[in-house]
């Protein structure tokens, strides 16, 4: 039977993808460490060539966020930044590659990024507001040290997680035809 795209029924994954929105403002609610462990276990099922698990996550709560804010202030030569205090939970996404003859570093970074994205979907589905933030501090040696990164690891950014506020931002529409092209024909 040929595939009929109009006959595709709703699925939980598809619905979660269509409902997902970044939440730049959140409340003080956040998942517990135990709830987060359950979501991380699910996110860790991302496609992973050779099962290298080239990623890890760093959980920042309470005073961890204050120390992060102070480090940003030191780097900027200013007062502590309020940015890490905008959500009760920050989750640093870390690419932790392993030398492998068949799996290049970029592919392992893609796995770490996939874990971060899936975790953001799971958190959103669980009722939390989430936004993935990066910026120049993701490449800062002082911030890497603060997060306990090894020399081979790379900080991919942070998920800012908190209670969801009213969703009034419009859903982003994707013109799939713009991004899905056919393999070029031979001349």
């Amino acid at each position: 039977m040929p595939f009929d795209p109009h006959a595709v029924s709703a699925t939980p994954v598809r619905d979660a993808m269509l409902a997902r929105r970044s939440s730049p403002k959140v409340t003080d609610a956040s998942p517990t460490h135990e709830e987060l462990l359950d979501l991380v276990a699910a996110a860790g099922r991302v496609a992973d060539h050779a099962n290298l698990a080239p990623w890890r996550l760093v959980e920042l709560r309470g005073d961890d966020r204050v120390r992060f804010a102070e480090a940003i202030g030191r780097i900027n030569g200013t007062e502590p930044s309020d940015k890490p205090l905008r959500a009760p939970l920050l989750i640093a996404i870390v690419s932790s590659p392993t030398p492998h003859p068949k799996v290049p570093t970029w592919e392992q970074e893609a796995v770490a990024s996939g874990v971060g994205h899936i975790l953001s979907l799971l958190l959103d589905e669980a009722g939390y507001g989430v936004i993935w933030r990066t910026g120049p501090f993701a490449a800062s040696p002082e911030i890497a040290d603060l997060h306990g990164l090894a020399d081979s690891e790379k900080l991919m950014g942070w998920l800012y997680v908190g209670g969801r506020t009213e969703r009034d931002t419009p859903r982003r529409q994707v013109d799939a035809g713009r991004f899905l092209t056919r393999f070029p024909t031979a001349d």
Side-chain angles (χ1 to χ4, degrees):
M1 177 177 224
F3 175 72
D4 179 0
H6 300 292
V8 175
S9 62
T11 65
V13 173
R14 184 173 184 275
D15 288 348
M17 290 297 303
L18 291 172
R20 189 211 76 76
R21 296 183 199 169
S22 293
S23 297
K25 294 185 184 208
V26 295
T27 71
D28 288 336
S30 67
T32 65
H33 176 76
E34 291 71 28
E35 291 168 329
L36 191 55
L37 285 172
D38 182 55
L39 298 175
V40 169
R45 299 283 301 147
V46 68
D48 180 359
H49 189 181
N51 282 330
L52 297 175
W55 59 273
R56 66 186 184 90
L57 306 170
V58 181
E59 181 179 6
L60 292 87
R61 297 180 189 265
D63 287 343
D64 303 333
R65 298 171 311 129
V66 172
R67 289 177 40 226
F68 185 20
E70 291 169 347
I72 291 173
R74 279 192 305 278
I75 291 167
N76 285 338
T78 63
E79 294 295 314
S81 171
D82 67 340
K83 291 181 180 182
L85 307 177
R86 292 180 182 171
L89 170 63
L90 277 61
I91 304 168
I93 302 156
V94 179
S95 170
S96 188
T98 301
H100 193 280
K102 294 183 179 179
V103 187
T105 300
W106 72 262
E107 188 174 340
Q108 295 182 52
E109 289 174 350
V111 172
S113 182
V115 168
H117 182 65
I118 290 173
L119 181 57
S120 75
L121 285 173
L122 291 166
L123 287 159
D124 184 87
E125 183 180 54
Y128 295 101
V130 183
I131 190 167
W132 187 327
R133 296 190 184 273
T134 57
F137 300 109
S140 163
E142 183 175 348
I143 298 300
D145 287 345
L146 182 68
H147 284 70
L149 271 60
D151 289 342
S152 62
E153 293 182 317
K154 182 178 185 180
L155 190 53
M156 308 293 287
W158 298 266
L159 296 181
Y160 280 57
V161 183
R164 186 180 291 149
T165 60
E166 178 113 6
R167 290 189 167 197
D168 54 4
T169 56
R171 289 186 182 162
R172 178 180 52 176
Q173 299 297 313
V174 176
D175 178 4
R178 179 176 156 221
F179 299 103
L180 180 63
T181 60
R182 293 290 312 263
F183 190 74
T185 57
D187 292 334

